[in-house]
């Protein structure tokens, strides 16, 4: 196939740009920062970049968009997904939204460095919005530059695809492109700005609408626009609920509460800490969205957050995520209240969140431990003692559950305490005190006793546990190493991680080096355990 034909393929993607067609546009067309009133979006062109270079693309996401590899490997693809050229049917725009940041209403935020390209309908009839993150200023850029750097783009690109393969609802990533330009960033806001390579990720999702997309119109008292966006969202993304009405608004809110609960259960299952659960970073579809200073628990610690910007209050620490999601849903409830003028359905939604999270969390913990079902009478204590011990023992959460799955309840009887504990100790970051070892053995014995009650065959239990306890996650230091190498022009580690993380639950013996404890050097290294919102 020649270059002309490759071009033709990208230009034959079927765009159906419903968002811009059906919702009110900003009448002004320049991109100077300003309050945009009475509109859901502003039309804006991506900035031209100097020397775009494709670092990586996701074959899985490309296939979902019906794009074969030879198209993604063409120069034309790089030009389009760097923002240097528009394919036929693209109508670029940035959306207006607001949000509560760290518990405070922050007013208008909006797509400050995201430019949407349009909505592709694939051969299966699925609707996918494409957007470029880091494609230059928009009316929502406030005082910032609209750009993104390589380190944060590598993290977003790899983690969105990794989350998808973990079975966790998420926005996706199609491509990661270097712009060939430098971007100035003060990584820790400490007066040490550095020039970093600029990059652009093409993100993909059925919808990028956030809780904050509704909050902004409600806060401004623009109920007409609020209703338009809610009705649009229901018709486009929740069509099974039927034509919008007060009853349908309630049903919609209930569904958002349920999908948010399911999402947070997933995060707690794999030890994912989002890091900035502001309401502008909460997807109306219950997807993980906006990968910023997120991190993965290594030594289990409910108080941990990777986000240094949140170090003082630790609002977004791992153990607080369920409460924060609830708080965010309450802000959404406040925002849509004027459409319902009834408090009860909204309160019911919040109660639904609370109950379904609690039940979902119990079922998830039962799965992680290989129990047939969660029995509060015995398992409340079993789980709470385990979580205390994981914390005290500085246990690597990912390694622990995989090693636990290996222990066979039948033959464990024949082992002395030391032999019983040995495999689990390999997952610890510290030397354990004797009393902690005794407590762990005691827990392990009660766990094995509990397992025997279920009479689940050992291999069945192990396979069930391994299906929910990943072996491979994007450990914080791995993304940093991949970035370090990419900054030197070597993209192979990004490629390797992308491939590795497509099968996170499978044993991949040749990749064992990626399933080990965080090395000591990474414990306090910036980018590995400490991240800020600077990206
Ligand atoms: P975040 O904390 O990444 O969710 O971003 C919060 C808000 O700041 C959003 O409205 C972003 O679009 C905006 N923002 C973050 N970084 C930049 C940047 N470099 N340029 C313009 N806007 C930005
Ligand atoms: Mg955001």
């Amino acid at each position: 196939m020649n270059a002309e034909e490759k071009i033709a393929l990208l230009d034959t993607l079927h765009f159906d740009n419903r968002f811009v067609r059906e919702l009110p546009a900003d009448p002004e067309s320049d991109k100077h920062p300003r309050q945009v009133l009475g509109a859901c979006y502003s039309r804006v062109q991506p900035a031209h970049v100097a020397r775009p270079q494709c670092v990586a693309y996701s074959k899985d996401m490309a296939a979902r968009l019906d794009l074969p590899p030879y198209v993604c490997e063409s120069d034309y693809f790089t030009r389009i997904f760097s923002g240097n050229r528009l394919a036929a049917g693209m109508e670029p725009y940035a959306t207006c939204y607001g949000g509560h940041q760290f518990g405070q209403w922050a007013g208008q935020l909006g797509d400050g460095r995201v430019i949407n390209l349009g909505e592709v309908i694939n051969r299966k009839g699925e609707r996918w919005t494409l957007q470029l993150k880091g494609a230059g200023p928009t009316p929502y850029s406030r005082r910032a530059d609209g750009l993104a750097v390589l380190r944060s783009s590598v993290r977003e690109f790899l983690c969105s695809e990794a989350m998808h393969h973990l079975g966790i609802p998420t926005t996706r990533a199609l491509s990661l492109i270097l712009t060939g330009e430098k971007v100035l960033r003060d990584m820790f806001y400490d007066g040490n700005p550095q020039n970093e390579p600029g990059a652009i990720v093409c993100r993909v999702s059925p919808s990028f609408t956030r809780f904050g997309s509704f909050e902004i119109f409600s806060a401004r008292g623009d109920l007409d626009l609020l209703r338009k966006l809610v009705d649009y969202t229901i018709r486009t993304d929740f069509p099974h609920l039927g034509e919008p009405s007060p009853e349908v608004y309630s049903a919609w809110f209930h569904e958002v509460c349920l999908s948010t609960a399911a999402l947070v259960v997933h995060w707690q299952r794999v030890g994912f800490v989002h890091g900035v659960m502001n309401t502008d970073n909460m997807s109306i579809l219950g997807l993980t969205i906006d990968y910023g200073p997120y991190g993965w628990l290594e030594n289990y610690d409910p108080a941990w957050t990777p986000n240094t910007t949140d170090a003082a209050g630790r609002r977004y620490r791992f153990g607080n995520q369920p409460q924060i999601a609830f708080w965010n849903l309450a802000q959404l409830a406040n925002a849509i209240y004027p459409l319902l003028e009834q408090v009860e359905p909204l309160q019911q939604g919040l109660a639904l969140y609370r109950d379904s999270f609690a039940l979902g969390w119990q079922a998830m913990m039962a799965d992680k431990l290989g129990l047939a079902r969660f029995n509060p009478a015995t398992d409340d204590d079993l789980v709470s003692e385990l979580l205390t011990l994981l914390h005290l023992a500085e246990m690597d959460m990912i390694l622990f559950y995989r090693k636990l799955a290996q222990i066979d309840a039948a033959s464990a009887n024949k082992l002395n305490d030391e032999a019983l504990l040995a495999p689990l100790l390999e997952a610890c970051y510290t030397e354990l005190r004797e009393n902690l070892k005794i407590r762990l053995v005691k827990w392990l014995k009660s766990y094995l006793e509990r397992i025997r009650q279920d009479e689940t065959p050992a291999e069945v239990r192990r396979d069930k546990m391994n299906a929910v306890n990943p072996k491979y996650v994007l450990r914080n230091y791995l993304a940093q190493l991949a970035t370090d190498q990419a900054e030197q022009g070597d993209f192979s580690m990004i490629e390797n991680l992308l491939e590795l993380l497509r099968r996170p639950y499978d044993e991949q013996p040749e990749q064992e080096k990626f399933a080990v404890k965080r090395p000591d050097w990474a414990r306090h290294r910036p980018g590995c355990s400490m991240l800020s919102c600077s990206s």
Side-chain angles (χ1 to χ4, degrees), residues 97 101 109-110 133 203 210 276 278 280-281 289-290:
Y97 56 79
Q101 297 187 313
L109 299 167
K133 182 166 178 179
R203 309 199 296 187
R210 302 126 193 280
V276 208
N278 292 334
D280 54 301
N281 292 339
I289 189 171
D290 277 10

Side-chain angles (χ1 to χ4, degrees), residues 56-327:
Y57 72 93
S58 160
K59 289 194 179 65
D60 296 308
M61 191 60 234
R64 201 73 185 252
L65 295 172
D66 310 319
L67 293 174
Y70 64 82
V71 168
C72 302
E73 287 155 19
S74 70
D75 287 346
Y76 193 61
F77 178 89
T78 304
R79 279 165 65 199
I80 287 179
F81 293 104
S82 63
N84 274 0
R85 193 191 153 120
L86 296 176
M90 289 179 172
E91 293 183 87
Y93 62 97
T95 70
C96 181
Y97 56 79
H100 280 83
Q101 297 187 313
F102 298 94
Q104 308 291 329
W105 175 242
Q108 178 182 296
L109 299 167
D111 288 332
R113 55 161 162 188
V114 155
I115 296 182
N116 298 275
L117 298 172
E119 301 159 44
V120 169
I121 311 290
N122 70 4
R123 276 193 220 117
K124 278 197 206 149
E126 296 166 341
R127 176 177 297 273
W128 290 101
T129 299
L130 307 183
Q131 63 172 220
L132 303 181
K133 182 166 178 179
T138 76
Y140 310 96
S141 299
R142 296 177 290 159
R143 283 174 301 280
D145 55 13
L147 305 175
V149 295
L150 182 62
R151 65 182 152 82
S152 63
S153 306
V154 167
R155 288 165 47 81
E156 171 130 28
F157 175 78
L158 286 177
C159 203
S160 9
E161 291 305 280
M163 290 293 255
H164 167 72
H165 292 294
L166 281 164
I168 302 181
T170 179
T171 61
R172 302 286 304 273
L174 173 65
S175 57
L176 168 60
I177 291 180
L178 274 166
T179 60
E181 295 177 2
K182 295 289 181 204
V183 174
L184 197 63
R185 284 288 179 272
D186 187 354
M187 191 167 162
F188 286 106
Y189 307 114
D190 59 0
N192 284 309
Q194 305 278 332
N195 266 322
E196 299 188 41
I200 295 176
V201 170
C202 177
R203 309 199 296 187
V204 190
S205 175
S207 160
F208 287 98
T209 300
R210 302 126 193 280
F211 291 8
S213 310
F214 304 97
E215 285 179 276
I216 186 71
F217 303 132
S218 192
R220 287 172 170 168
D222 190 342
L223 300 189
D224 179 48
L225 204 45
L226 174 67
R227 186 183 304 277
K228 280 193 175 120
L229 184 64
V230 170
D231 290 358
Y232 171 85
T233 302
I234 290 172
R235 290 192 180 113
T236 309
D237 298 305
F238 299 80
H240 53 278
L241 294 178
E243 268 303 289
S245 68
E247 292 70 45
V248 168
Y249 296 146
S250 305
W252 172 61
F253 182 66
H254 292 182
E255 198 167 315
V256 175
C257 289
L258 289 175
S259 61
T260 304
L263 176 68
V264 181
V265 169
H266 277 300
W267 288 353
Q268 304 308 94
R269 167 170 69 84
V270 297
F272 177 79
V273 189
H274 181 285
V276 208
M277 288 176 73
N278 292 334
T279 56
D280 54 301
N281 292 339
M282 297 292 294
S283 150
I284 202 66
L285 296 181
L287 309 175
T288 313
I289 189 171
D290 277 10
Y291 292 85
Y294 68 83
W296 295 84
L297 282 189
E298 286 168 326
N299 48 307
Y300 181 83
D301 179 1
W304 185 70
T305 172
N307 185 359
T308 54
T309 315
D310 186 29
R314 291 180 183 261
R315 179 180 171 87
Y316 298 138
R317 62 191 183 272
F318 177 71
N320 214 27
Q321 297 190 121
Q323 283 72 25
I324 291 292
F326 180 87
W327 191 89

